[in-house]
Structures are given as structure tokens and as C-alpha cells.
Amino acid sequence: MKGMILISAYNSADTLPGVLTGLKEYPSLDILLVDDGSTDATARIARSYGIRTIRHEQNLGKGAALQNGFRYAAEKHYAFVITHDADAQHPPESISDLLSLHEKYPRAVLLGKRTRSRNMPWPRRTSNAISAFLISRRTHRNIYDAQCGFRLIPRPYYAWKCSERKGFIFESEMLICFADNGIDLKFVPIPTLYYGNGQSRMTYFYTTFGFISMYISSFFKNYRKMNNDLP
């Protein structure tokens, strides 16, 4: 059983070639790219590199892209999925750190951990600190970076119905789901990188209210009940 790198991408034609070139260092891992309704050459570039690509005809949100990729991974019985963004924020060389830690803790979910340095735009530093504080309080875990999408998720966790949210909030609710099920969470320090002017695909107003809605409703959900296939 091998692992898979899952790339969620939206209008990433500028950064995708560099990301895919870096991922060539891991020939033992399959790569799947989910193009979430890009209007640029994202899908064409991925296919030119020989990358298996699933394309959404319209932009559905990062959560929807990840869910689609997780379904594919479950159908193909991959041992784990590494989620990796297409915007050059996740250094491909850090995948070796994930793989080394996975060998030591094969049943843990591994999370990238960035520092809130000046390399991170101030709106992101603020939202990152607040979300990390709230998710830590909710899960009773010390989660420094709740927004980093660089993760290694073993089977069967990635196939769990943790959340049906289609946007960025999906990743935060996954953390609550894993914690409520007693899954071990380990952290891998990675550099804080932002390409170009540091703008994010995240819409702050929409994402803020989405996070608040998810956070409040999480106290009334039974995440264990939806995951009866605990390993």
C-alpha cells in the first residue's frame, strides 16, 4: 500500500510548475490534483506533467476539492494522503519530514506547523492565532497552527465523514473530528512561505463567519457517532 499526494488547486498556473517539479523527488508517491474550477491553465499544466487530474467545472471550494480527492484515495486504498497546496506555500522538501515521522507514528495525523513571522501577512497572522487558540480550547490539544493545509492523514481517517463544509473551514472541522475521536496529532515545523504579494485565496469575511458557525455547531455534534469504523 502506497501513499498519495493530494493537491487542491485554483488558478495556480503561476506556481504549479515549481510545485510539481519539487514533488518529482518522491517517485514512490502517486499524485492527484483536483482543479477546483480554475479559469487559467492549471489543469493543462498538471496533465502536461503526467499528473492524474480531477476537474470541477466550477469553483466549489477547497473543502469540496479535498473531499473529492479523499474519495478517490479511499477507492484506490492508499495507505495515507499528504495534502499539499498548489500555491508554493508548502515546501516539497518537507515531505521527507512527514514520511520520517509517519514511520515512527503510523497511526497519527501529522500537521504542518508554521511560525507567525513577518513572512505571514498580518491578516493571516491574526486569523491564524485566533483560530489556533479557539481550536485548542475546543479540542483540549495544543494546536499552534490550525490553518496549515500541509498534512499527512493515514487511512481510514481521510475517508471519515468529518465535515460536509465546502470551503476552507473543512480543514478546521477535521481537526475537531480527529481530536474528538482520540486520534494522536503530531506536528512538523515547516517554513512560512508566501508567493508573490502574499495574497490568499481565502475570503476573510466569508471565512470568518463560516468558522464561527462551524465552531459553535461543533459543540452540538457527535463526531464519534459518525465514525463507527475506528481502527
Side-chain angles (χ1 to χ4, degrees):
M1 296 177 66
K2 64 191 307 185
M4 186 186 87
I5 299 172
L6 170 57
I7 304 173
S8 57
Y10 175 66
N11 287 346
S12 302
D14 289 343
T15 54
L16 187 58
V19 170
L20 295 180
T21 298
L23 294 179
K24 286 184 177 180
E25 297 298 319
Y26 305 94
S28 63
L29 300 175
D30 290 344
I31 301 175
L32 172 71
L33 182 137
V34 179
D35 176 18
D36 189 30
S38 297
T39 57
D40 64 4
T42 293
R44 180 178 58 80
I45 292 172
R47 293 180 179 125
S48 72
Y49 276 77
I51 303 302
R52 184 179 297 276
T53 303
I54 296 174
R55 175 166 168 76
H56 296 167
E57 291 304 318
Q58 58 183 338
N59 181 240
L60 301 178
K62 186 178 183 182
L66 291 175
Q67 290 167 42
N68 209 349
F70 291 151
R71 280 192 291 269
Y72 175 89
E75 291 171 359
K76 301 299 182 181
H77 305 288
Y78 282 99
F80 60 85
V81 170
I82 294 174
T83 56
H84 195 291
D85 288 351
D87 57 6
Q89 288 189 28
H90 303 157
E93 57 268 23
S94 293
I95 289 178
S96 60
D97 296 328
L98 286 179
L99 296 176
S100 296
L101 195 60
H102 176 63
E103 289 185 4
K104 188 175 181 180
Y105 302 101
R107 299 170 74 86
V109 171
L110 311 182
L111 308 172
K113 176 183 174 183
R114 301 164 295 178
T115 59
R116 298 186 193 104
S117 67
R118 292 183 178 180
N119 291 336
M120 183 179 290
W122 72 263
R124 294 300 301 274
R125 290 201 302 271
T126 302
S127 65
N128 187 288
I130 293 173
S131 64
F133 172 77
L134 292 174
I135 294 294
S136 295
R137 291 292 298 270
R138 170 61 180 80
T139 61
H140 306 289
R141 309 281 187 98
N142 185 17
I143 298 177
Y144 180 83
D145 187 354
Q147 295 181 347
C148 184
F150 185 65
R151 302 174 175 181
L152 186 152
I153 308 174
R155 175 184 172 87
Y157 311 144
Y158 62 73
W160 284 359
K161 301 291 191 295
C162 287
S163 173
E164 295 182 352
R165 297 179 186 272
K166 304 304 181 185
F168 288 93
I169 307 305
F170 172 79
E171 292 175 304
S172 295
E173 191 162 25
M174 285 187 75
L175 294 181
I176 295 174
C177 176
F178 293 151
D180 278 11
N181 280 282
I183 304 305
D184 194 14
L185 304 177
K186 300 293 184 183
F187 300 89
V188 175
I190 66 171
T192 304
L193 304 174
Y194 280 85
Y195 176 80
N197 59 10
Q199 288 185 343
S200 171
R201 304 294 186 191
M202 184 185 297
T203 303
Y204 293 113
F205 182 84
Y206 174 82
T207 303
T208 297
F209 281 91
F211 180 86
I212 293 172
S213 172
M214 179 279 295
Y215 188 78
I216 294 174
S217 65
S218 74
F219 288 94
F220 304 95
K221 279 189 177 181
N222 184 348
Y223 291 98
R224 288 190 62 86
K225 184 177 180 180
M226 67 179 66
N227 296 317
N228 295 321
D229 57 339
L230 285 170

